[in-house]
Amino acid sequence: ATVSTLAMHHTLTWLLLRCAEKAAQISMRSAPHKPSSALLCKVGTADIGDFQRIVGCLLPAAEQLCGTGREGGRIDSQVRRRLMREGGYLASHLSESWYSTVLMCVYVYVTVTFGVPLFSSTWSSLVRGSSLEDTGNTYALLLEHAVAFLDAHFYVFVAVIVALGHRCISGRRLMTRFTARTFVVVDSTTNYKLLRSFGSKLGALAFPFTAFRVIGQNGEDHFVHEMTHLATSDAILLVGRPDGRLATLAASERAVVMSTQQARYICSRPCRGVEAISVGHNPWAKQGLFRRQVVLPSDHRPAFLSQKLLGTEDGPHAPGDVSQQLGELVASEVPKVDRSAEPFAWMTMDVLKEALLKRSLSLDRISVEDAEVFVTELMQESASG
């Protein structure tokens, strides 16, 4: 159902794009005969071309993420290998209880059946042939009971010892809760609901010893109020970050990072707080916030104008710096004077479009000669007005 929802969303996106394209074509054909207020679509053909390039980049990007081409062939994808490696890391959280239970049971069955507890058997081998082997010796008897007491402790904590060893081998934190894990998806509303649904279905099919929960919330909305009380070591945050290198998304990524930071540092001890894993296009990450990070490529996506203006096309860029650069850019481009005295203060996009239509000029492209005549006429109208 999750994949079907994604497919339907993408299909409806193409349908909306085609409808807008058709409406723009009809509007352009009828433009010379209708006023600007009667235009069917204010989106021009150039805008539709930009939208189409953005929508069209989904397929090549999905091929790299899935490692499978559109014809069904395998693709050697580095980003897929990184995603699979992080998936294996998350799976190690779930397989810990299975290994602990199975290996503990094997140890108990073997040692009890054959009468060879670890410490008692080792002690018997060490004292064989010595005075400590005499059971009539009080001191030897006390030592024998002490060694048996160690065996009893080992039986009780053997599962914990196996879990700690598994954590050490898999590169995870050692002193976290010995319980089932809770995956918290922190992403946009659409994404976290789809991922929560898909993950919950996997959890329902999981083996009893590898059970887990999946919850989620929007990092820009209710996550801080509803989820930060889960700031314990059994919670793993899967954070989807907007690409803050774009001017329109810098504030969104800052909000997500701040929400994650609040959840991450509620517990002062690193071993007791949540563990956060980041997935996004921006290679930048706040130091110490995310334990692991997956950077998704943006090669197939066309560059946005804000990236060109701010110089954030490549490499990591902190969203706070992007917002600051955007503010400086706007401040430098907008003069701090009263614009009412300027000759074209009355000019708006609607007025400009109406002036073009009155002269039967195209809204998308005009020649240099027509542009010179058009600007001259506008200056004359402004001076006479």
Side-chain angles (χ1 to χ4, degrees):
T2 305
V3 178
S4 301
T5 304
L6 293 175
M8 180 183 66
H9 185 278
H10 189 58
T11 303
L12 293 177
T13 301
W14 277 104
L15 178 60
L16 179 62
L17 182 60
R18 295 307 180 196
C19 291
E21 183 179 9
K22 189 66 175 178
Q25 293 174 357
I26 297 175
S27 179
M28 289 299 299
R29 287 199 296 266
S30 60
H33 311 289
K34 293 183 178 182
S36 60
S37 58
L39 292 179
L40 296 177
C41 183
K42 293 187 178 182
V43 178
T45 55
D47 300 323
I48 293 177
D50 291 337
F51 295 158
Q52 187 169 358
R53 283 192 294 272
I54 294 175
V55 177
C57 71
L58 175 63
L59 180 57
E63 290 177 331
Q64 295 297 320
L65 295 178
C66 300
T68 304
R70 63 196 71 183
E71 302 296 335
R74 301 293 297 175
I75 295 178
D76 184 18
S77 172
Q78 183 178 0
V79 63
R80 175 171 172 78
R81 288 196 295 270
R82 290 200 300 266
L83 290 171
M84 295 298 292
R85 182 167 60 248
E86 298 306 319
Y89 175 77
L90 293 178
S92 66
H93 285 272
L94 307 180
S95 59
E96 170 188 304
S97 57
W98 187 88
Y99 280 111
S100 301
T101 303
V102 171
L103 294 181
M104 178 192 68
C105 293
V106 170
Y107 175 78
V108 172
Y109 277 121
V110 171
T111 55
V112 174
T113 302
F114 297 98
V116 285
L118 177 62
F119 294 99
S120 297
S121 301
T122 304
W123 175 257
S124 299
S125 301
L126 292 175
V127 301
R128 185 175 295 120
S130 66
S131 60
L132 295 177
E133 189 178 11
D134 185 10
T135 57
N137 188 334
T138 304
Y139 180 68
L141 185 61
L142 290 176
L143 288 178
E144 183 179 352
H145 285 294
V147 172
F149 186 70
L150 288 178
D151 270 319
H153 270 288
F154 192 74
Y155 277 120
V156 172
F157 294 104
V158 64
V160 175
I161 295 172
V162 173
L164 292 176
H166 185 268
R167 293 177 181 181
C168 184
I169 294 174
S170 58
R172 295 185 290 120
R173 296 181 298 173
L174 293 181
M175 303 308 297
T176 58
R177 288 187 174 186
F178 297 94
T179 183
R181 292 297 184 255
T182 299
F183 295 112
V184 184
V185 181
V186 183
D187 210 323
S188 64
T189 302
T190 301
N191 290 348
Y192 91 73
K193 286 188 175 182
L194 291 175
L195 292 172
R196 182 185 62 186
S197 175
F198 182 73
S200 299
K201 294 172 185 176
L202 295 180
L205 298 174
F207 193 69
F209 291 111
T210 58
F212 60 94
R213 288 196 311 153
V214 179
I215 57 178
Q217 192 50 265
N218 192 331
E220 302 179 58
D221 198 356
H222 297 297
F223 170 69
V224 172
H225 308 289
E226 296 182 3
M227 300 292 177
T228 48
H229 65 278
L230 299 174
T232 54
S233 58
D234 61 323
I236 302 173
L237 304 185
L238 306 178
V239 184
R241 293 162 45 199
D243 193 350
R245 297 175 297 177
L246 304 180
T248 54
L249 296 179
S252 297
E253 185 176 13
R254 289 180 64 187
V256 172
V257 170
M258 290 179 64
S259 299
T260 307
Q261 183 172 316
Q262 183 170 346
R264 173 68 179 82
Y265 295 115
I266 284 180
C267 293
S268 58
R269 296 184 181 181
C271 61
R272 292 187 178 180
V274 299
E275 183 176 342
I277 298 176
S278 166
V279 179
H281 296 280
N282 191 355
W284 175 87
K286 185 176 180 62
Q287 185 176 6
L289 179 59
F290 300 104
R291 185 171 179 83
R292 301 171 76 94
Q293 179 184 9
V294 178
V295 180
L296 303 178
S298 55
D299 304 333
H300 303 286
R301 186 186 68 193
F304 287 80
L305 177 61
S306 64
Q307 292 181 280
K308 295 284 188 179
L309 296 176
L310 301 176
T312 59
E313 297 177 78
D314 302 314
H317 296 275
D321 296 341
V322 175
S323 299
Q324 181 178 358
Q325 293 175 16
L326 178 62
E328 293 174 354
L329 178 63
V330 172
S332 64
E333 292 294 333
V334 180
K336 299 180 176 59
V337 296
D338 183 14
R339 300 180 61 91
S340 59
E342 296 184 6
F344 291 98
W346 53 272
M347 180 62 68
T348 62
M349 288 300 299
D350 291 335
V351 175
L352 181 62
K353 289 180 180 179
E354 187 171 358
L356 287 170
L357 294 175
K358 284 182 179 179
R359 294 165 176 79
S360 300
L361 297 176
S362 172
L363 296 177
D364 293 326
R365 181 179 300 177
I366 61 176
S367 63
V368 177
E369 294 79 8
D370 292 338
E372 293 178 352
V373 175
F374 179 65
V375 172
T376 302
E377 293 177 355
L378 289 180
M379 293 179 66
Q380 293 175 353
E381 292 179 5
S382 177
S384 61

